[in-house]
Amino acid sequence: AQPGMHSSLPFFFQGKTVIQAEIDAAAELIDFFRFNAKYAVELESSQPLSVPSSTNSMVYRGLEGFVAAVSPFNFTAIGGNLAGTPALMGNVVLWKPSDTALLSSFAVYRILLEAGLPPNVIQFVPADGPVFGDTVTSSEYFCGLNFTGSVPTFKRLWKQVSENLDRYRTFPRLAGECGGKNFHFVHSSADVPSVVNGTLRSAFEYSGQKCSACSRLYAPDSLWPQIKEKLLEEHGKIKVGDPAQDFGTFFSAVIDDKSFARIKKWLQHAKTSPNLSILAGGNCDDTVGYFIEPCIVESKDPKDPIMEEEIFGPVLTVFVYPEKQYKEILQLIDTTSPYGLTGAVFAQDKNVIQEARKLLRNAAGNFYINDKSTGAVVAQQPFGGSRASGTNDKPGSPHYLLRWTSPQAIKETHVPLRDWKYAYML
Ligand SMILES: *[C@@H]1O[C@H](CO)[C@@H](O)[C@H](O)[C@H]1NC(C)=O
Ligand SMILES: *[C@@H]1O[C@H](CO)[C@@H](O)[C@H](O)[C@H]1NC(C)=O
Ligand SMILES: *[C@@H]1O[C@H](CO)[C@@H](O)[C@H](O)[C@H]1NC(C)=O
Ligand SMILES: *[C@@H]1O[C@H](CO)[C@@H](O)[C@H](O)[C@H]1NC(C)=O
């Protein structure tokens, strides 16, 4: 059956709409493959200086052992890139796809084989997550982990790796991407239509199951009545349903029962907390699929857990601030959540944009000015965040390839040393 739906349908959208699936499984995966090949060729041509007495070169070796790659359900392209990049750099990869994206991952794996990838360079290993993690990190040949998932799981694996450090032949490389609590900051000089449409798209596309999805909006009291009116008006037009039956659908189900239950708890919190009031949505229904209505919440308290913790679902929380206090709000945004993935500033005032860039320097690995917090394109906005969001290795850029190679510098001398003494001693 299709993840996210109970009935078995002929399509495997992983809860995406047709256009989202095409952007992901075809367009983005192709971008990853083509740009990584380009970066690898450029890296190869990045060579040290040679002088008349010696020729120097750099060989970009694969790591000595295997890389374990744990891919998430939400992007078929991530799975393909995850297996493809290290293989391109000469590594052997153990690829554990998400349980809820097995078929699409297997299709990518088979395409790679069909395209001529030698068998066993990538080993496709559908497995239980924790068992896989424990097994691979205890092998002496373990030399890298590429992980996408939750902070607690990544921390657990990191600890396990340190426990096993004495066994390994080489210091393993650990790369992790662990989500975010992304913000849209709106200044009183902002253009309201771009705030409204940017926020709706960012918070609710793919049912909020993107690590870059906007989940906290900070709006000035002067603009809030306007923003609120338009936000609710446009919210009313969001078509929720089964994208396989109706191609006009914008919004589908979330991936599985676990995800549904987790988000449902947040909806309950929004209904019962005196800090919060629900402005739109708030219902959910799992009779035919794991459907959660796109939900907009207003919080009177900027430190309510709903403003701090990742939800990974279609829940947007708004905090309305006194327009004059925007500097304090920038500080507040920086210090509210442990994450540092994406964020956006909406302002026409150039000075405010400068201030925001400075104050929010460490709050986001992908920072947007007058644009929504989602939609990073390979080779245009290399993606990743620091703090609890991960190791910020920026897949989709040359930086990333460097993580999966162990360069060897070779010097070939043409003038052999004829004496052990320094010249001044002769
Ligand atoms: C690591 O994961 C990222 C996505 O999070 C992917 O783009 C990349 O190719 C993966 N690399 C390896 C070595 O598995
Ligand atoms: C948002 O986009 C819609 C088209 O989808 C447009 O009709 C509407 O005017 C935009 N909203 C605002 C507030 O401009
Ligand atoms: C995909 O989902 C995982 C959770 O399973 C999350 O940690 C990750 O950040 C998401 N990646 C993107 C690019 O949305
Ligand atoms: C309201 O927000 C405060 C944080 O300022 C938090 O301590 C409190 O627990 C929240 N109330 C509920 C019911 O979650």
Side-chain angles (χ1 to χ4, degrees), residues 318-337:
V318 188
F319 177 70
V320 180
Y321 68 88
E323 121 178 349
K324 293 224 160 44
Q325 287 176 18
Y326 77 90
K327 281 187 200 170
E328 285 89 334
I329 293 303
L330 291 173
Q331 297 280 6
L332 178 81
I333 292 175
D334 186 41
T335 51
T336 294
S337 135

Side-chain angles (χ1 to χ4, degrees), residues 323-401:
E323 121 178 349
K324 293 224 160 44
Q325 287 176 18
Y326 77 90
K327 281 187 200 170
E328 285 89 334
I329 293 303
L330 291 173
Q331 297 280 6
L332 178 81
I333 292 175
D334 186 41
T335 51
T336 294
S337 135
Y339 294 101
L341 193 55
T342 76
V345 169
F346 291 84
Q348 300 297 314
D349 184 330
K350 294 271 184 278
N351 294 329
V352 171
I353 295 174
Q354 280 313 320
E355 266 174 304
R357 282 181 62 161
K358 221 162 118 191
L359 280 162
L360 299 173
R361 187 178 163 86
N362 293 313
N366 284 66
F367 191 72
Y368 294 86
I369 299 168
N370 292 319
D371 200 349
K372 62 189 166 50
S373 64
T374 53
V377 173
V378 176
Q380 291 184 31
Q381 295 91 23
F383 192 76
S386 50
R387 295 187 176 166
S389 294
T391 48
N392 196 12
D393 296 304
K394 297 276 186 259
S397 83
H399 300 270
Y400 191 67
L401 269 63

Side-chain angles (χ1 to χ4, degrees), residues 32 67-69 78 81-83 85-86 93 146-148 177 395 400 404:
F32 269 131
V67 174
I78 292 183
N81 185 37
L82 185 146
T85 312
V93 190
N146 195 21
F147 172 83
T148 305
E177 200 209 285
Y400 191 67
W404 309 111

